[in-house]
């Protein structure tokens, strides 16, 4: 049976590689079944990656065929429980560098969607657990929006050990985003420039996907409830982890609030928290919504759309706003005033920057239009985070995002005022092995400075 599974995995992989446009293939699978797909021409780098990956698959298949199924899964479970598979992913990372940045991204999402990623079986350090918005997080490390834009890989990404995963941005109507190429690596600087422009399959496709996942989890929970006892475990609507849904507006839309309200009505039932993204630099006019009057009007309308829906005992999902790092002190004061006045549930600080710090200005792609993420963004976003924590007097949970690539970086975000921390670019470069590393380092930082829990350290540098 294991050998058959290996052969099926190989067939699935070959079919996937044969699809010239992965997204289009997923959307039009019925036509793909009727018409044989054209075999695309791969570059030398693409052929190298294909050969290497096929070698790993075939080698794995050969191994599987020599052992019985029980032995195979026992050994896989053993490797997972010891973290060996996370370390092993470092071998694969260099092959992704041979691909175009967006192709590598699509391959990574597809792998996570199919479960071709290691599963974290080890418990998180106890000092990393916390409760925010009445939801229990096993750890404060999350994956930022932009990686899984269309909720294709929620289960696979949560299984990596993230405390929470944020999907999106999701727009009401499907849109392709900006022309390609639109993602540029600055590998030496640990950075990326992107101008994707909210490429999205739309809220209907995402709602169907989340609905199917939600139904499956409910069935699994019902099946296992009798043996699990009454213990309250960390997690939310996405099962073992918390799921955030990041909402965007369509490029051609003239009514931003209508777009966000539509997102709330369609997707909030599946979300542990919602995010209004008004800070992407790649959608014309979007950042203007961060102005005091515009933001106040928008938040009030979106809150109204959420609150008019029927909710059970747990109540509606918290509503957050994601802001840019390129803001003046006056802008930050205005946003803080709106957040406090309207009792906003949280802020994400921050999105990418349109500026180019000195460390990247001489890079060949630095002149490309788009938002810069990664290590060069760390200081700027952390300074804005600290300022916002002071302006809101620590009354609003903040999610620190921007340039986090180590446990020490995450710790600095926490001390600057972050209750939770997100990463993206470092994960794109470092892969799954980075997640347990960051959690272990963060736990060590807390112990080093005498904090018994992550919550005690929040805002320590602002007191």
């Amino acid at each position: 049976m294991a050998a058959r599974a290996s052969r099926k995995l190989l067939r699935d992989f070959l079919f996937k590689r044969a699809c010239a446009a992965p997204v289009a293939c997923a959307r039009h699978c019925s036509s793909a079944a009727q018409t044989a797909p054209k075999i695309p021409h791969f570059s030398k780098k693409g052929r190298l990656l294909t050969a290497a990956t096929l070698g790993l698959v075939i080698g794995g298949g050969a191994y599987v065929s020599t052992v019985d199924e029980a032995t195979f899964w026992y050994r896989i479970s053993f490797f997972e429980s010891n973290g060996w598979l996370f370390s092993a992913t470092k071998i694969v990372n260099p092959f992704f560098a041979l691909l175009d940045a967006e192709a590598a991204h699509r391959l990574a999402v597809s792998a996570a969607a199919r479960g071709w990623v290691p599963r974290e079986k080890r418990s998180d350090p106890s000092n990393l657990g916390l409760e925010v918005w009445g939801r229990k997080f096993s750890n404060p490390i999350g994956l930022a929006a932009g990686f899984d834009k269309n909720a294709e890989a929620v289960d696979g990404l949560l299984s990596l050990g993230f405390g929470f995963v944020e999907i999106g941005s999701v727009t009401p109507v499907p849109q392709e985003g900006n022309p390609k190429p639109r993602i540029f690596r600055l590998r030496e600087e640990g950075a990326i420039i992107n101008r994707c422009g909210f490429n999205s399959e739309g809220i209907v496709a995402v709602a169907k996907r989340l609905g199917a996942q939600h139904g499956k989890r409910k069935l699994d929970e019902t099946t296992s409830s009798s043996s699990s006892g009454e213990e309250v475990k960390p997690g939310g609507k996405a099962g073992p982890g918390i799921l955030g849904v990041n909402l965007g507006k369509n490029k051609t839309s003239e009514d931003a609030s209508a777009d966000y309200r539509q997102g709330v009505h369609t997707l909030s039932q599946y979300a542990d928290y919602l995010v209004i993204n008004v800070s992407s630099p790649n959608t014309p006019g979007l950042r203007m919504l961060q102005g005091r009057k515009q933001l106040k009007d928008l938040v009030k309308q979106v809150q109204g759309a959420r609150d008019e829906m029927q909710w059970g005992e747990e109540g509606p999902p918290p509503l957050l706003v994601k802001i840019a790092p390129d803001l003046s002190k006056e802008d930050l004061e205005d946003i803080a005033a709106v957040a406090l006045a309207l009792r906003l549930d949280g802020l994400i600080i921050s999105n990418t920057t349109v500026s180019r710090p000195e460390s990247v200005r001489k890079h060949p792609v630095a002149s490309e239009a788009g938002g810069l993420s990664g290590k060069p963004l760390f200081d700027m976003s952390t300074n804005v985070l600290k300022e916002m924590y002071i302006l809101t007097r620590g009354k609003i949970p903040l999610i620190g995002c921007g340039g986090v690539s180590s446990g020490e970086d995450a710790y600095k975000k926490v001390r600057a005022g972050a209750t939770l921390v997100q990463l993206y670019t470092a994960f794109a470069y470092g892969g799954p092995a980075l997640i347990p590393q960051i959690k272990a380092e963060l736990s060590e930082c807390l112990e080093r400075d005498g904090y018994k829990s992550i919550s005690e350290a929040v805002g320590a540098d602002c007191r």
Side-chain angles (χ1 to χ4, degrees), residues 290-320:
Q290 295 175 114
R292 185 168 189 150
K293 182 181 184 305
Q294 296 92 327
L295 184 63
K296 184 176 181 180
D297 291 343
L298 176 63
V299 171
K300 287 175 70 174
Q301 292 187 57
V302 177
Q303 284 178 330
R306 177 198 61 177
D307 295 343
E308 70 187 12
M309 298 174 67
Q310 296 288 331
W311 298 104
E313 292 181 3
E314 63 183 9
L319 183 66
L320 290 72

Side-chain angles (χ1 to χ4, degrees), residues 236-254:
K237 295 180 180 178
I242 301 296
L243 175 65
V245 175
N246 187 301
L247 304 174
K249 67 174 287 292
N250 282 110
K251 183 176 182 178
T252 58
S253 174
E254 296 181 0

Side-chain angles (χ1 to χ4, degrees), residues 69-216:
E69 186 175 7
T71 302
F72 172 75
W73 288 113
Y74 171 79
R75 291 176 181 174
I76 289 294
S77 179
F78 172 79
F79 287 138
E80 286 178 334
S81 64
N82 287 277
W84 182 89
L85 289 180
F86 280 88
S87 298
T89 60
K90 294 178 181 179
I91 300 172
V92 182
N93 286 349
F95 295 115
F96 280 82
L98 299 175
L99 282 177
D100 163 79
E102 190 154 358
H105 178 210
R106 283 299 315 155
L107 185 60
V109 172
S110 296
R114 291 170 175 266
W116 295 355
V117 291
R119 293 173 296 174
E120 183 58 87
K121 294 295 186 68
R122 298 161 294 181
S123 298
D124 287 327
S126 59
N127 59 357
L128 297 186
L130 72 164
E131 184 172 328
V132 190
W133 309 306
R135 289 145 174 84
K136 291 184 178 295
F137 292 71
S138 64
N139 72 77
I141 306 300
L143 180 61
F147 187 86
D148 187 7
K149 291 176 177 287
N150 298 302
E152 299 172 74
V154 174
D155 289 341
L157 292 170
L158 284 172
S159 74
L160 290 170
F162 284 112
F164 62 109
V165 167
E166 189 175 310
I167 65 153
S169 295
V170 188
T171 58
V173 179
Q175 61 179 31
E176 293 296 328
N178 293 322
K180 301 176 182 178
R182 54 195 180 186
I183 304 177
F184 307 90
R185 296 185 179 107
L186 295 82
R187 184 171 295 277
E188 297 79 8
E189 291 77 12
I192 288 174
I193 292 174
N194 95 81
R195 53 169 179 263
C196 290
F198 285 170
N199 50 309
S200 173
E201 292 182 12
I203 58 174
V204 173
V206 171
K208 288 181 178 179
R209 202 167 281 138
L210 288 177
Q213 295 168 3
H214 186 69
K216 181 178 181 297

